[in-house]
Amino acid sequence: MCGIAGLVGPWPSSLVAAMTEAIAHRGPDGQGLWADEGVALGHRRLSIIDLTDKAAQPMQTPDGRYLLTYNGEIYNYRELRMELEQTGIVFRTASDTEVMLYLFARYGLDCVEKLSGIFAFAVWDRQSRTLSLARDHLGVKPLYYSELSMGFLFASELKALTLCPDLPRDLDPSTVADHLGYLWTAGGNTMLKNVKKLRPGSTLTVSADGEVRQERYYRTPYFEPDTTLGDADPRALQRQIDGIVAEQLVADVDVGALLSGGVDSSTIVAAMCRATDPDKITTFCASVNKPESGTDNFGDDQTHARIVARHLGVKLIEVSTDADLVELLPGMVWQLDEPTADFAAVQTFLLAKAARENGIKVLLSGVGGDDLFTGYGRHTAGLIWAIANQIPGMRSLGAGLLGLFPPSTILGRRLKRIGALLAMEEDTMLADGMSYSAVGAGGCLKLLSAGVRDAIPADGIAAGIRASLEVTRGRHPVERFLDLELNSFMPDHNLNYTDKMSMQAGVEVRVPLVDHRLVAVAMELPLSAKISLFQTKRILRSSQKDRLPSEILTRAKQGFGVPVRNWLQGVARDLMEELTSSKTISARGLFDPHAVSSLKADFQAGRVDAAFTLFPMMAMELWCRALENTETVIVND
């Protein structure tokens, strides 16, 4: 795990040196820079496999033709190394980096078809003067780029690109609406018009004449249930997960795990215990004081994590995450590269920091279980919508009855939310179901300023969301939700904050459930193996019956993060008022000050559940301020 940066264009190599310094947290163990006329590659190293200096980057082939800067881990690198050795290649290091380099030299960008791992890499071909970029199948590792008239820039983090004095800083209005409704930007856009995200499973080449070509080598498969599987085999799933977890334990440093006491993380730790001595496994869980108001869905992770740790015989370190969030918020949104309004990011950082302080550089996480096997409330809502849609008038009746519940309690808010979704047509329901905002797409559009609103589709559906809806039309709503999870929510939100905040602490987080081979298996499972009206993750829970306590397997889904509603009405109220004041809103020009003032009044009076609408506004204002305070570098040869 590392940080990479580079350029093709008229800028001096000192710009790349500054870019790699801006992401030094991603690689505290070393740095490297290679430059030639019109090109430079930079690297920050977090040593995981082959800790010697021989494995430093950028790394080049003996003939000097190919140069590689690479971020990630290739879990099957030993098998690939043996394959390459049979062709006569002699390796100088024990690293996966050198395997990646020779794979590219032999197969070009087709090498990605052979990789099992998480990666973002760049290769410069000195002979053809071509730059090649690639990102892993599911988008675990980030890669940003900017295609300018005078050249091309790329980096692991957006903040590094903002150092270039020639990069325009104009905001993309469509992403303002995305962050307001979804908390993330679906698709390839970012808050800056001139910075893009290379999509998961994609490659990009910059040719000698400056032509930029992007191709997609992988997309998560569409739901194609294997009718021969029946209710599917939990034991087969268990074996599949065991194999992937064992593969991802490869490292020359200690490997720990994040343990919330939920089904997903507990499954990962249970599999680790089959691959290595439980006494050697250290796990980390967040310790949060649950608010008395009862308006936020946050459970007692540490109690459940203790149960799992005792049951499996692993060490558990409880990490207090009751931090000063008012103080941490500005730094958080800038570190995330996008104004992501989710305090789960802070918890991820604090857990990773604790791991690093305990000598652990690598953590396994249960991220992805909800996205593969169902688990979010919207999945159950989608199932209810599909059932009600089969009975004439049932959706309208249900919407009317459930809409009567007040949003002042967790149950009331959930029922009211389901009622609102029942009232919508399918595509609108799916798009709105992905949103964190309870004011609806129409309500969000009214909050935007006229100039921003003009750039948004009338239905408010983000382009990245619409792309998934188009290719899944005609399938079951829950299947369509899972496609949206895997192609927008997971890479653009969950995996983004997991990577950015763990790497902020110099720790690599691996995500075994986000393995493209497991995704293929999950997409063949009948929907009934995943969800019923009364239970999600049915097959995953069944696969762990002989490994985990029943109270873990029956535990309801609970949030990971901070009780935002309680926070905004308490210690952060003054901050909210300052960041969303009419003066601030008018000066920024992204939102309508009158509509925002009205929403705040309704929120404080308990009439509208607007916490996850106001919080994104706050995050965007703080992100814009951080951008304004980030100076470009003076580049010199």
Side-chain angles (χ1 to χ4, degrees):
M1 261 338 139
C2 305
I4 65 175
L7 63 82
V8 176
W11 305 284
S13 61
S14 58
L15 174 58
V16 173
M19 291 165 66
T20 53
E21 182 60 29
I23 56 174
H25 50 272
R26 297 187 69 90
D29 299 332
Q31 60 182 322
L33 178 67
W34 177 91
D36 199 356
E37 183 179 356
V39 61
L41 303 178
H43 189 263
R44 292 294 312 202
R45 186 182 185 196
L46 178 63
S47 305
I48 302 295
I49 297 175
D50 190 342
L51 311 184
T52 68
D53 291 340
K54 289 182 179 180
Q57 300 182 48
M59 183 182 287
Q60 59 183 304
T61 50
D63 61 5
R65 176 175 177 177
Y66 297 104
L67 291 108
L68 167 72
T69 184
Y70 150 62
N71 166 32
E73 303 292 348
I74 305 305
Y75 304 128
N76 63 334
Y77 80 98
R78 289 171 177 154
E79 293 88 343
L80 294 171
R81 177 183 175 123
M82 291 176 61
E83 177 185 316
L84 291 167
E85 285 175 331
Q86 291 172 1
T87 69
I89 293 175
V90 178
F91 286 85
R92 300 178 299 105
T93 76
S95 69
D96 60 335
T97 303
E98 191 175 14
V99 172
M100 173 74 82
L101 179 62
Y102 280 117
L103 275 175
F104 185 90
R106 185 172 180 81
Y107 299 106
L109 278 173
D110 288 341
C111 71
V112 295
E113 303 288 353
K114 293 178 169 290
L115 302 178
S116 172
I118 50 179
F119 55 85
F121 67 78
V123 176
W124 175 248
D125 182 344
R126 297 178 71 182
Q127 179 174 304
S128 66
R129 295 193 63 78
T130 299
L131 177 71
S132 299
L133 306 179
R135 190 177 178 197
D136 63 62
H137 300 72
L138 275 299
V140 180
K141 303 314 297 176
L143 191 56
Y144 296 84
Y145 68 93
S146 181
E147 182 183 354
L148 303 177
S149 60
M150 59 195 308
F152 185 90
L153 302 157
F154 70 88
S156 294
E157 298 187 6
L158 178 148
K159 63 182 68 66
L161 300 180
T162 64
L163 299 180
C164 178
D166 297 307
L167 177 73
R169 295 189 174 189
D170 300 330
L171 300 183
D172 183 340
S174 68
T175 64
V176 173
D178 285 358
H179 281 283
L180 184 64
Y182 301 108
L183 308 190
W184 74 92
T185 302
N189 293 337
T190 73
M191 280 288 285
L192 295 180
K193 282 184 179 179
N194 290 91
V195 176
K196 306 296 182 183
K197 297 173 285 189
L198 185 61
R199 297 307 296 152
S202 295
T203 63
L204 183 151
T205 56
V206 184
S207 63
D209 60 4
E211 179 186 0
V212 177
R213 185 175 71 254
Q214 189 170 163
E215 296 182 359
R216 192 161 190 177
Y217 68 89
Y218 172 86
R219 189 197 188 279
T220 56
Y222 303 117
F223 184 79
E224 296 291 353
D226 186 339
T227 56
T228 66
L229 291 177
D231 286 333
D233 183 1
R235 290 287 185 180
L237 178 62
Q238 183 188 81
R239 290 192 295 270
Q240 178 88 11
I241 293 173
D242 284 353
I244 290 170
V245 168
E247 186 181 70
Q248 294 196 16
L249 290 176
V250 59
D252 293 329
V253 297
D254 291 337
V255 179
L258 297 172
L259 179 60
S260 68
V263 176
D264 302 337
S265 64
S266 301
T267 294
I268 298 303
V269 176
M272 292 174 71
C273 291
R274 267 63 187 176
T276 190
D277 185 349
D279 288 338
K280 297 180 180 179
I281 299 172
T282 301
T283 65
F284 299 83
C285 80
S287 174
V288 180
N289 288 325
K290 190 172 181 179
E292 296 179 358
S293 68
T295 58
D296 290 276
N297 181 32
F298 289 91
D300 186 5
D301 278 0
Q302 58 266 42
T303 297
H304 292 87
R306 288 172 197 158
I307 293 171
V308 176
R310 282 195 301 268
H311 183 79
L312 297 176
V314 300
K315 180 181 179 181
L316 175 68
I317 295 177
E318 298 177 24
V319 182
S320 174
T321 54
D322 287 319
D324 186 346
L325 300 177
V326 173
E327 181 179 339
L328 289 177
L329 180 59
M332 181 192 85
V333 296
W334 186 242
Q335 289 155 5
L336 288 169
D337 286 323
E338 298 265 354
T340 304
D342 191 343
F343 273 124
V346 170
Q347 285 194 318
T348 300
F349 168 72
L350 295 173
L351 290 166
K353 182 172 178 285
R356 184 79 190 203
E357 290 169 350
N358 282 273
I360 292 178
K361 286 185 178 181
V362 180
L363 293 168
L364 299 194
S365 165
V367 168
D370 295 306
D371 311 270
L372 278 185
F373 302 105
T374 73
Y376 297 119
R378 54 180 166 256
H379 299 147
T380 302
L383 186 62
I384 293 171
W385 189 98
I387 294 171
N389 194 52
Q390 297 175 1
I391 305 171
M394 180 58 70
R395 285 202 294 113
S396 297
L397 177 62
L401 292 175
L402 295 176
L404 299 175
F405 285 86
S408 54
T409 65
I410 295 173
L411 179 60
R413 190 167 63 248
R414 286 178 173 174
L415 294 174
K416 193 176 186 68
R417 176 68 166 150
I418 293 173
L421 294 175
L422 284 174
M424 301 174 186
E425 294 306 309
E426 186 170 335
D427 277 14
T428 305
M429 181 273 296
L430 291 165
D432 201 85
M434 297 300 296
S435 172
Y436 274 65
S437 175
V439 304
C444 285
L445 282 173
K446 292 177 182 177
L447 291 167
L448 300 173
S449 66
V452 174
R453 195 184 309 127
D454 291 342
I456 311 302
D459 58 10
I461 298 178
I465 299 291
R466 191 185 304 278
S468 173
L469 295 180
E470 290 295 334
V471 298
T472 61
R473 184 160 286 112
R475 298 173 185 268
H476 192 284
V478 177
E479 298 164 12
R480 301 183 75 190
F481 264 133
L482 292 177
D483 193 80
L484 285 164
E485 310 285 357
L486 293 171
N487 290 285
S488 57
F489 176 73
M490 192 171 68
D492 295 321
H493 184 68
N494 269 4
L495 292 177
N496 180 61
Y497 78 65
T498 298
D499 171 85
K500 298 291 175 54
M501 300 310 284
S502 62
M503 293 302 290
Q504 190 71 30
V507 170
E508 167 186 320
V509 173
R510 298 177 179 177
V511 283
L513 297 180
V514 186
D515 183 286
H516 68 281
R517 295 165 299 178
L518 186 58
V519 172
V521 170
M523 291 300 102
E524 293 180 348
L525 295 172
L527 194 59
S528 60
K530 299 180 182 181
I531 188 172
S532 70
L533 281 174
F534 306 104
Q535 188 181 60
T536 59
K537 298 180 190 165
R538 297 185 66 215
I539 189 171
L540 185 62
R541 296 177 198 270
S542 295
S543 75
Q544 302 301 308
K545 280 185 177 179
D546 62 343
R547 295 187 176 181
L548 298 174
S550 60
E551 58 262 53
I552 301 302
L553 295 175
T554 57
R555 185 186 178 193
K557 173 71 178 176
Q558 291 178 308
F560 177 58
V562 169
V564 173
R565 296 170 184 85
N566 181 268
W567 184 70
L568 289 180
Q569 292 173 332
V571 295
R573 180 164 180 170
D574 289 345
L575 179 64
M576 179 187 71
E577 294 293 350
E578 190 270 317
L579 294 175
T580 61
S581 69
S582 294
K583 179 180 179 181
T584 300
I585 293 293
S586 296
R588 184 63 59 193
L590 300 179
F591 303 105
D592 182 290
H594 299 295
V596 173
S597 294
S598 178
L599 182 67
K600 284 193 297 184
D602 286 341
F603 172 64
Q604 295 297 355
R607 292 187 293 268
V608 176
D609 177 26
F612 279 98
T613 307
L614 293 167
F615 189 24
M617 291 183 195
M618 297 166 61
M620 280 185 269
E621 174 60 26
L622 287 170
W623 190 89
C624 289
R625 292 181 185 184
L627 177 67
E628 292 168 348
N629 292 331
T630 299
E631 297 182 0
T632 59
V633 299
I634 300 175
V635 291
N636 298 306
D637 285 316

